[in-house]
Amino acid sequence: ASRSMSDHLGANTLQIVNAMKAASMASDKGLSRADVIDLCRMLKEQEFADSVYFFTKTSIPELQACRDSVADRDTVCWSEPYRVNGRMIVSVMTNTRKSGVLCADISLVWLNKLMDENKPSSQAVLYLISPEGRFIMASDSTLLGEMAPPELSTRTNDGFSVNVLTEDDEPYSEQNGKEKPVKKVMTSFGKEVPNTGWYFRCATPP
């Protein structure tokens, strides 16, 4: 279930990437800025994007870093997560030859829906981690934008489960006493999400 959820996420992000590339090609063919943005309307119709626009200037470091990386018009860049008016956002950009840098602010609504509807079990804890190791999505919303710990952000090429040791919530057990917290093993599956540089991880408590 975790693997298929990662694949489903990759299929959705591919739609976003393809829409941005199509808009870039249309701009090269002479389509106006307004028509190029209209071409990306499906991103908003499917709740993928909050807004689509041509990039100008920004004071947001995550956006500027993404802008700086799209010198090649065939490149699509996903930004690190950032917060605007209390909402967590990631943006995707591509550089058109004639119209400048096209940017879509990606809504996290569809990510929330996808995670809620496809959890492998009610106890599963789901995370989505950026290339720099920050939480894009997490079951605990207070973690969004924060750095993920190494046991969650370390990537495995084969996608197999890894074991994460966590301290038990209970400070006392009859076997170990109060000074030796019980250790438990959490099974965790991780897989890279195509087209994005994101890393999906699903952890299932024992």
Side-chain angles (χ1 to χ4, degrees):
S2 300
R3 292 172 191 265
S4 69
M5 186 171 176
S6 177
D7 293 340
H8 189 186
L9 183 56
N12 280 275
T13 54
L14 181 59
Q15 289 187 55
I16 297 172
V17 169
N18 285 343
M20 297 294 284
K21 287 183 176 180
S24 178
M25 292 173 63
S27 174
D28 291 349
K29 297 292 185 181
L31 214 63
S32 69
R33 281 190 166 206
D35 288 338
V36 168
I37 290 176
D38 190 50
L39 188 63
C40 291
R41 65 185 181 277
M42 59 81 63
L43 296 178
K44 298 181 71 174
E45 289 171 354
Q46 296 188 33
E47 295 187 320
F48 287 150
D50 288 337
S51 58
V52 181
Y53 55 94
F54 280 94
F55 186 89
T56 52
K57 294 181 180 180
T58 183
S59 60
I60 301 172
E62 293 84 356
L63 275 180
Q64 188 60 53
C66 192
R67 165 65 183 87
D68 293 342
S69 72
V70 291
D72 184 342
R73 70 183 185 91
D74 293 326
T75 298
V76 174
C77 172
W78 293 81
S79 77
E80 285 292 303
Y82 60 96
R83 196 178 295 275
V84 175
N85 298 325
R87 298 171 62 247
M88 190 59 60
I89 296 173
V90 294
S91 294
V92 59
M93 295 185 190
T94 189
N95 196 0
T96 69
R97 181 180 296 172
K98 294 185 177 181
S99 301
V101 174
L102 181 66
C103 180
D105 293 340
I106 302 302
S107 167
L108 299 186
V109 171
W110 64 276
L111 285 175
N112 275 306
K113 282 185 178 179
L114 185 64
M115 288 191 166
D116 289 342
E117 293 171 0
N118 294 277
K119 288 178 69 171
S121 73
S122 59
Q123 292 185 322
V125 184
L126 307 178
Y127 305 100
L128 195 60
I129 301 169
S130 76
E132 291 187 9
R134 298 185 182 277
F135 286 111
I136 296 173
M137 292 298 301
S139 297
D140 180 357
S141 61
T142 64
L143 296 175
L144 299 182
E146 300 296 324
M147 292 297 296
E151 60 265 27
L152 292 177
S153 61
T154 300
R155 305 187 178 205
T156 55
N157 293 327
D158 53 20
F160 286 112
S161 297
V162 296
N163 292 327
V164 180
L165 287 176
T166 61
E167 285 192 1
D168 199 326
D169 294 331
E170 295 295 329
Y172 171 81
S173 73
E174 293 181 359
Q175 292 78 16
N176 294 323
K178 293 182 180 180
E179 295 182 0
K180 295 182 179 180
V182 174
K183 293 286 186 178
K184 58 185 179 181
V185 175
M186 179 180 290
T187 302
S188 177
F189 168 81
K191 187 175 181 182
E192 291 194 7
V193 178
N195 316 305
T196 61
W198 299 344
Y199 193 60
F200 170 77
R201 189 174 283 284
C202 175
T204 305

